[in-house]
Amino acid sequence: MLDGYVSYALVYTEQTRRIFVIVSPTRGRFVLTKECATEGCRCIGCFLLEATVETDDGPYSVLDLEGGKQVQDKLFAYRFTKPGQMFIDALKHQYADYRGPITIAHLNKLFDQPNALLMIDRADDGTFTHSYVSSTVAMRVISRGCRATPHCPCIACRIVDMAYAENPDNIVPTVDISSSRGTPDGKLLLPIWIDDSIISALLSRDPAIRHSFTPNFFESPLEQIFYELALLDLHLYPQHRVGKYRLDFAIPDKMIAIELDGHEYHKTKYQRTHDAQRDRWLFGQGWHVLRFTGTEVYKDIDRCIDEICKLAKVERLSPRPLTRID
């Protein structure tokens, strides 16, 4: 498990003064003081360098001074210790915002403390297994059977494709592929330096987050709901074409077609005949066709996902919510 959110103190030393800046994921970036006289000064910056916090295990320094690192000429950065976070939380004064170029992402990289890691392991069959660990999510497998093809719909490839905006002119990939590292046992580690709360919520099937990862070309709310709740377990290709037909969902490498019928009693005789002809044609091409009614999906979507996973011979990875969709 990774450490929790880390805050930093920047100390810039000029000829006649020192400037102290706090960079915190909880309080933002602000100038603590820029009037430190360095010699014999008792400003809040000097206090920060000397302060300790009493804990049950004894006193702890607010800053990890021995682990400080040089950021630029005359500019050093120090991590706050875990007890030292109390120093930041106790600050009441409204300080001026720091508008310099140093961000929490830069400092995390400097101190090699990513907020999350995506771990990739190649299986014996040539597919990839992805695991995820972060400051809020314990190590867990999030995807199996990934073939790393273009537009792969697995949740790990979606995370790799994510980006966020530090500002309108700076779009940053969520996963820092350029800083990847190999492990002695052949796994690949990809760091994530940004706040991982959105990814953690997605992996927990938070409905407020799921909608942001859903394509907007579904023909019905039923298809959208199904996709949102199944994407953590299944590599689903929506609106997949096979011959002259378009499937609601497909797992092409497993030759599995998934059709959602909504309310079956609303179908005309022609529609039912057309579906039967299509199912027979797909069967003749080697496809397995699974059909679910709207009632099945709304009443017990986890049973539907379980059935697909069993046919596809994949293990379910997502936590199970309540079975009924309200």
Side-chain angles (χ1 to χ4, degrees):
M1 188 71 180
L2 300 181
D3 291 337
Y5 296 125
V6 180
S7 298
Y8 302 90
L10 298 176
V11 183
Y12 182 77
T13 303
E14 296 180 336
Q15 187 171 0
T16 58
R17 65 170 182 170
R18 288 186 297 193
I19 301 172
F20 289 81
V21 171
I22 304 297
V23 181
S24 167
T26 57
R27 293 289 297 272
R29 303 184 301 163
F30 59 91
V31 179
L32 184 66
T33 180
K34 55 183 180 181
E35 301 300 333
C36 175
T38 68
E39 292 295 333
C41 177
R42 300 305 301 168
C43 70
I44 191 171
C46 291
F47 175 76
L48 172 63
L49 294 176
E50 300 172 0
T52 60
V53 177
E54 289 293 333
T55 71
D56 293 339
D57 298 324
Y60 276 84
S61 297
V62 168
L63 293 178
D64 177 15
L65 297 177
E66 292 184 359
K69 297 194 177 184
Q70 186 170 2
V71 183
Q72 297 172 358
D73 184 37
K74 302 180 183 178
L75 177 63
F76 281 79
Y78 303 92
R79 283 187 295 187
F80 278 83
T81 61
K82 287 185 178 180
Q85 181 67 34
M86 297 170 58
F87 176 91
I88 299 176
D89 296 337
L91 293 174
K92 303 296 184 182
H93 189 275
Q94 184 63 44
Y95 296 94
D97 291 340
Y98 168 71
R99 302 186 182 278
I102 308 301
T103 67
I104 193 91
H106 293 122
L107 294 170
N108 282 340
K109 286 186 180 182
L110 178 66
F111 284 88
D112 198 23
Q113 289 288 327
N115 280 331
L117 287 172
L118 188 65
M119 183 171 68
I120 304 175
D121 188 17
R122 190 180 184 93
D124 293 338
D125 62 358
T127 64
F128 298 93
T129 297
H130 300 84
S131 301
Y132 184 86
V133 60
S134 76
S135 53
T136 56
V137 177
M139 175 71 77
R140 56 177 284 197
V141 175
I142 62 171
S143 175
R144 287 194 178 97
C146 171
R147 298 188 180 278
T149 55
H151 312 296
C152 175
C154 81
I155 189 63
C157 287
R158 283 174 160 264
I159 291 174
V160 171
D161 289 340
M162 287 172 58
Y164 76 104
E166 283 192 330
N167 57 61
D169 299 321
N170 189 19
I171 306 300
V172 180
T174 296
V175 177
D176 185 5
I177 297 177
S178 64
S179 299
S180 62
R181 295 181 179 178
T183 65
D185 57 354
K187 297 180 177 62
L188 184 66
L189 302 180
L190 303 179
I192 297 173
W193 306 101
I194 65 169
D195 179 6
D196 68 289
S197 58
I198 292 178
I199 299 174
S200 299
L202 175 67
L203 296 176
S204 300
R205 300 175 97 177
D206 184 335
I209 300 297
R210 291 199 316 263
H211 296 307
S212 301
F213 291 81
T214 304
N216 59 4
F217 49 68
F218 292 112
E219 295 182 345
S220 70
L222 179 65
E223 291 182 11
Q224 179 174 338
I225 290 172
F226 181 84
Y227 182 79
E228 289 178 358
L229 293 175
L231 67 86
L232 296 182
D233 295 293
L234 296 164
H235 300 179
L236 295 176
Y237 287 78
Q239 305 298 311
H240 184 72
R241 282 204 168 274
V242 179
K244 65 178 181 179
Y245 297 113
R246 187 174 63 181
L247 309 179
D248 288 344
F249 299 100
I251 308 177
D253 61 317
K254 304 286 187 178
M255 297 289 282
I256 296 175
I258 301 152
E259 296 292 301
L260 306 182
D261 287 336
H263 295 295
E264 182 70 22
Y265 59 81
H266 283 161
K267 283 191 173 185
T268 64
K269 181 178 179 180
Y270 170 79
Q271 288 173 314
R272 288 193 292 270
T273 300
H274 178 268
D275 287 346
Q277 291 173 341
R278 178 168 65 169
D279 290 354
R280 290 197 301 272
W281 183 86
L282 288 168
F283 180 81
Q285 301 298 312
W287 285 79
H288 300 274
V289 181
L290 293 177
R291 284 189 174 274
F292 299 101
T293 66
T295 300
E296 287 181 292
V297 173
Y298 281 110
K299 185 177 180 180
D300 194 351
I301 190 170
D302 279 306
R303 188 195 64 78
C304 301
I305 297 174
D306 282 339
E307 186 173 340
I308 301 169
C309 287
K310 183 177 180 180
L311 179 60
K313 294 182 172 59
V314 299
E315 179 183 349
R316 287 208 58 179
L317 301 175
S318 66
R320 285 160 172 75
L322 295 175
T323 55
R324 184 177 180 85
I325 301 173
D326 295 321

